[in-house]
Amino acid sequence: MQSGTRPALVVAAAIVDSFAAPTRFLCARRSAPAELAGRWELPGGKVEPGEAAEAALHRELDEELGVTVRLGDRLPGPEDGDWPILAGRTMRVWLAELVAGTPSPLADHSELRWVAHEALEDLDWLDPDRPIAAALRAVRA
């Protein structure tokens, strides 16, 4: 990385079953790379240079899950609203609701699972995602 440049921003969606009465979240189990395979995360990915964060999230969700979502509020993290994750990156997380498509693990994931609030922390999350999963437990109607 060149001096003075920020690490890549990562975006993710905490897809809920309903904005009106959220009870479950769509979680994704990684299939790659090998050191992350089998662990859980929220779907999303890197923001490309010149790409808006929201546009990147819509692109990633289409590529990874084949879905279109409506974005809601951001889940505020401890670093200027973002969450610290792997390799010095930060992740910006939005609540989202499906508007089109049936989620399928098309890229980078081996399984998708709808998980109730009370069971979120039972998954084997990527270590940096554990505080995000804990924060999601507070999201209620």
Side-chain angles (χ1 to χ4, degrees):
M1 179 178 0
Q2 298 174 345
S3 64
T5 61
R6 286 183 51 139
L9 176 65
V10 175
V11 290
I15 300 173
V16 294
D17 52 353
S18 163
F19 277 151
T23 61
R24 299 180 305 155
F25 293 89
L26 186 63
C27 303
R29 188 169 64 185
R30 298 264 338 166
S31 59
E35 64 272 13
L36 304 179
R39 311 268 317 266
W40 292 85
E41 68 175 4
L42 297 174
K46 291 179 190 171
V47 177
E48 299 295 336
E51 186 177 36
E54 293 89 342
L57 184 54
H58 285 291
R59 175 185 51 75
E60 288 284 348
L61 295 175
D62 181 51
E63 291 172 2
E64 290 185 2
L65 308 179
V67 298
T68 302
V69 299
R70 175 182 343 172
L71 297 181
D73 294 336
R74 281 189 37 204
L75 183 68
E79 291 189 10
D80 294 326
D82 295 339
W83 296 87
I85 58 167
L86 300 169
R89 295 184 174 111
T90 59
M91 184 161 66
R92 194 165 293 164
V93 179
W94 280 267
L95 295 176
E97 183 180 57
L98 290 173
V99 294
T102 300
S104 298
L106 303 176
D108 300 326
H109 299 105
S110 59
E111 181 183 348
L112 302 176
R113 185 182 300 172
W114 286 100
V115 180
H117 281 92
E118 58 275 5
L120 279 169
E121 294 176 85
D122 295 342
L123 295 178
D124 184 16
W125 290 93
L126 294 173
D127 292 338
D129 290 9
R130 290 182 187 282
I132 300 168
L136 288 174
R137 289 199 64 196
V139 174
R140 300 283 183 180

